[in-house]
Amino acid sequence: MASRQLLFKTFYRLGFVPWDGHPLAKSLQDLVEGDGALGPGAALDLGCGTGDSSIYLAKNGWRVTGVDFVARAVDKARAKAEANKVAVNFVRADVTRLSSEGIGSTFGLIIDNGCLHGMSPGDRDAYVREVTAVAAPDARLLLVEFIPGGTYGVPGIDPDEVKRRFAADWTLLSSGSEPALDHNGKDPARFYLFARAS
């Protein structure tokens, strides 16, 4: 975890943030505005970066907490939210320790646009445990992750691993290619929509 934090702190300090400002995930837009859209409630944005998805949710009526472990990212996210005149609770916290970071619980929607795919196996175990701990009983979880060999040099995560890791406490509702992150006709990213198992 410490080496990953140092890497991202360095990226933000150098201004190398190729993930910042990318188009919103189509799967997120469909979930919020499409047929059968979820009604607004409490949402948690994991690895929120500079806050684009959090701000989008807030503009659509959600009460949003955005979490990132890089202070510079959180500061930029707060400035963006203020410029967009929306209220978002941005918190510097570790997604592998959510239940002890004081961010709250019973989130009805939890989103991750590229956080899980960069983690080590041990951190992934903690991540799944903590996401489950802060989810409401009927929560939805939307992951958008690069597959192995994708762009930006992240390790990626295999679709079968995603399904296996969440199988005990979550039900997979749908998954597929994430067109908003499709680069040059490739399929580097996939979305996964889960429901908290009762």
Side-chain angles (χ1 to χ4, degrees), residues 140-170:
R140 295 294 183 270
L141 170 64
L142 178 65
L143 306 172
V144 178
E145 310 296 340
F146 285 120
I147 61 173
T151 57
Y152 301 127
V154 296
I157 187 166
D158 186 78
D160 288 337
E161 181 182 350
V162 173
K163 295 169 190 172
R164 177 180 52 78
R165 285 188 176 277
F166 288 93
D169 296 301
W170 296 84

Side-chain angles (χ1 to χ4, degrees), residues 54-160:
S54 295
I55 291 166
Y56 166 75
L57 287 169
K59 285 181 174 180
N60 281 279
W62 291 81
R63 296 179 316 279
V64 186
T65 298
V67 172
D68 204 288
F69 59 57
V70 179
R72 187 170 289 199
V74 171
D75 291 343
K76 286 185 176 190
R78 288 178 179 143
K80 275 188 183 179
E82 186 176 331
N84 280 273
K85 297 179 174 43
V86 293
V88 177
N89 178 29
F90 288 110
V91 179
R92 183 174 176 229
D94 183 342
V95 298
T96 66
R97 293 193 285 257
L98 293 169
S99 56
S100 64
E101 295 276 10
I103 59 142
S105 61
T106 65
F107 291 98
L109 174 62
I110 301 173
I111 65 168
D112 168 350
N113 286 293
C115 184
L116 178 63
H117 66 206
M119 293 181 162
S120 69
D123 284 344
R124 289 176 182 182
D125 291 339
Y127 170 99
V128 172
R129 180 191 67 239
E130 292 298 303
V131 165
T132 303
V134 300
D138 58 349
R140 295 294 183 270
L141 170 64
L142 178 65
L143 306 172
V144 178
E145 310 296 340
F146 285 120
I147 61 173
T151 57
Y152 301 127
V154 296
I157 187 166
D158 186 78
D160 288 337

Side-chain angles (χ1 to χ4, degrees), residues 7-8 11-12 16-23 49-50 52 68 113 152:
L7 178 66
F8 279 93
F11 283 161
Y12 274 100
F16 177 72
V17 288
W19 54 86
D20 189 26
H22 62 72
T50 62
D52 294 333
D68 204 288
N113 286 293
Y152 301 127

